[in-house]
Amino acid sequence: MKLTAIIIGSLFSLSLCAQTTKAQNKQETNKKPKLVVGIVVDQMRYDYLSKYYDKFSDKGFKKLISEGFNCKNTHYNYAPTYTGPGHASVYTGTTPAFNGIVANDWFVRETDKTTYVTDDPTVETVGSNSEKAGKMSPRNLLSSTIGDEMRLYSNMKSKVISVSQKDRAAILPGGHLSNGSYWLDTDTGNFITSTYYENRLPKWVSNFNAQHLAQKYLSKSWKTLLPIDQYTESAADDNPYEGLYKGEDKPVFPHNLPKMYDKNDYGVIRYTPFGNTLTKDLALAALKGENLGKGNYTDFLAISFSSTDYVGHKMGPQSVEVEDTYLRLDRDLGEIISYLENEYGKDGFLLFLTADHAAAYVPSQMMDLKMNAGYFNYKDFSDDLNDHLEKKYDETQLVSSVINGQIYLDHKKLRDKNIDLKSIENYIASFALQFEGIANAYTSFQLNGAILKNKSAQLIQNGFYPKRSGDVALLLEPQWLDDYSHTGTSHGSTYNYDTHVPLLWYGWNIKKGNTAASVQITDIAPTIASFLNIMEPSACTGKPIMAITK
């Protein structure tokens, strides 16, 4: 009897242990952060992290690097590397070949016109009287985002809010099911939205706009945060490779913002670090106004800092202006991180920071240093190409458009003249290789299904969506840019200076460390999905980053 009792007691204890373990496993599975915060810095090169590290504060970038997890070898896996595709790929976990966002603008054969990535004529502006600034939505985005999946998983109880100065940088991260996406109207200095989301601004956004912060930030000159002689990581303040701000004779500090500021156009704030500060202010207001992270389901806040891109385009990556913009952004990040830690605790939120693309050095500077670099004139190339095609095929203007380094042919004229598409594409690709600065050319037949061997070809293929992309894609040589300005910089290529970006993780379930293993930008969304135990976005091609999810 005693033995039987012991056996029964042991079995009962084992059963209790099994039930307890099962309950603990279930509880662990369902344990999630209160809030996910996604931060995208527009045009941030990976090397800025080390270049400016000593001048960062202890609360911003340096904290994310030293206390979070650093994916040191994160690259974009498609081209062209622009703002629209960049934000789409981060949040959909896939490339333009599947999410459809092939560029910021692309040529539409059916209308014979160029369209903007977030244009939507079916909606109206909310928050200002602008006829165009708010006629935007995510209708061109073909796949779901990680925020959409969070909303669907929770039966629409999770909240997703996205903010940025740029409309496309607010709209694409927010996805189709965003509770609110807000961007800057440069006519009024207010943040606005569209009727795709709501018919009136929430009270917290209206109250934010009533502070007129853009006007306040533009009422003072832009001086360097630190004494200017400490900016030893940058070139001389006065150099020939930087552009000029409106009303200035030299590209030097201090920049007289009140003089540059036209009261009918607040767009100048985008070319200063104070545009980022304004975005930070709105992000903090969103956390409070929407009570993010206070419900029963995980919420999402997407923040995109755009001023880094505008300053970078104008001044280039070696400028004091770019360095000062990042030092000030570091302080803004510190304020956001401190708020999150105070409000939710370090283990209450999951934060990642990355960039939508990086940037090239200024080609004119590289040329002066006797490096391979240059400027390619697409307008001259297009005119020359049309002339040659007219002689060969006895038809004028067979090229409808050259945009994003891609050639769009007039398919109607080709059909009318019975011109074989594959033959003319091959002819154009061969013709293009005669031009200085062109490294290679790929036809739509190569890009739509062929197995391409070299890295650049594969990246262009990953960015190719037949219904929106061109018939022939051109690849410029390294450090060659479109010939629109010989000061400042740009981006868009397959080369490392455009594809290598930061990826930092911090907060919930993130252990301190780093990895030099290869990570693709499309791995971010499935990594978040893995943390949250939800489905990855609908067209996701990325994989969870094992170094942090295991």
Side-chain angles (χ1 to χ4, degrees), residues 320-335:
V320 176
E321 283 81 2
V322 162
E323 180 173 357
D324 194 67
T325 298
Y326 275 93
L327 298 187
R328 290 179 181 274
L329 174 60
D330 173 68
R331 275 62 174 178
D332 290 331
L333 286 175
E335 193 172 336

Side-chain angles (χ1 to χ4, degrees), residues 14-30:
L14 287 171
S15 176
L16 280 177
C17 287
Q19 291 178 33
T20 302
T21 301
K22 187 176 180 180
Q24 288 174 341
N25 287 340
K26 184 177 180 181
Q27 185 178 10
E28 191 66 29
T29 298
N30 289 329

Side-chain angles (χ1 to χ4, degrees), residues 99-120:
N99 64 42
I101 305 301
V102 297
N104 294 332
D105 306 88
W106 59 83
F107 184 76
V108 181
R109 293 186 178 89
E110 292 77 14
T111 62
D112 203 33
K113 295 179 181 178
T114 298
T115 191
Y116 178 62
V117 60
T118 51
D119 271 348
D120 188 348

Side-chain angles (χ1 to χ4, degrees), residues 126 182 191 198-211 282 285-286 288-290:
V126 174
Y182 306 99
F191 281 88
E198 52 206 339
N199 292 320
R200 60 185 299 177
L201 290 177
K203 185 176 180 180
W204 70 265
V205 180
S206 297
N207 290 342
F208 181 87
N209 287 335
Q211 299 177 65
L282 182 66
K288 301 170 188 175
E290 294 287 349

Side-chain angles (χ1 to χ4, degrees), residues 5 131 189 293 404 465 538:
E131 293 185 6
N404 307 315
Y465 179 61
S538 57

Side-chain angles (χ1 to χ4, degrees), residues 161-165 170 181-184 190-192 204-209 211 213 217 275-290 292 301-303 305 336:
I161 302 292
S162 55
V163 298
S164 179
Q165 291 181 81
S181 296
Y182 306 99
W183 56 93
L184 184 68
N190 290 336
F191 281 88
I192 61 172
W204 70 265
V205 180
S206 297
N207 290 342
F208 181 87
N209 287 335
Q211 299 177 65
L213 293 179
Y217 286 130
N276 286 337
T277 302
L278 182 65
T279 305
K280 175 265 299 179
D281 294 337
L282 182 66
L284 293 176
L287 287 166
K288 301 170 188 175
E290 294 287 349
L292 296 180
L301 174 63
I303 311 167
F305 290 106
I336 292 173

Side-chain angles (χ1 to χ4, degrees), residues 119-255:
D119 271 348
D120 188 348
T122 68
V123 300
E124 301 296 333
T125 303
V126 174
S128 83
N129 294 323
S130 173
E131 293 185 6
K132 185 174 181 180
K135 295 180 78 67
M136 306 283 170
S137 85
R139 70 183 180 93
N140 288 324
L141 184 63
L142 302 181
S143 84
S144 68
T145 64
I146 186 64
D148 290 338
E149 295 299 329
M150 290 172 62
R151 295 269 286 151
L152 291 169
Y153 175 86
S154 66
N155 282 317
M156 310 301 277
K157 296 182 179 67
S158 286
K159 279 188 177 183
V160 175
I161 302 292
S162 55
V163 298
S164 179
Q165 291 181 81
K166 290 183 179 180
D167 46 52
R168 58 188 181 273
I171 291 168
L172 297 171
H176 304 274
L177 303 179
S178 167
N179 296 83
S181 296
Y182 306 99
W183 56 93
L184 184 68
D185 175 18
T186 58
D187 288 342
T188 63
N190 290 336
F191 281 88
I192 61 172
T193 189
S194 80
T195 52
Y196 176 89
Y197 305 98
E198 52 206 339
N199 292 320
R200 60 185 299 177
L201 290 177
K203 185 176 180 180
W204 70 265
V205 180
S206 297
N207 290 342
F208 181 87
N209 287 335
Q211 299 177 65
H212 303 293
L213 293 179
Q215 186 173 346
K216 292 178 182 177
Y217 286 130
L218 289 171
S219 66
K220 55 186 179 181
S221 292
W222 175 15
K223 301 176 182 178
T224 54
L225 181 67
L226 306 176
I228 197 166
D229 60 2
Q230 293 186 22
Y231 288 71
T232 53
E233 296 77 14
S234 301
D237 190 28
D238 187 5
N239 69 73
Y241 309 115
E242 300 177 5
L244 292 173
Y245 283 124
K246 181 180 177 182
E248 293 189 339
D249 298 322
K250 289 184 176 183
V252 297
F253 282 97
H255 296 289

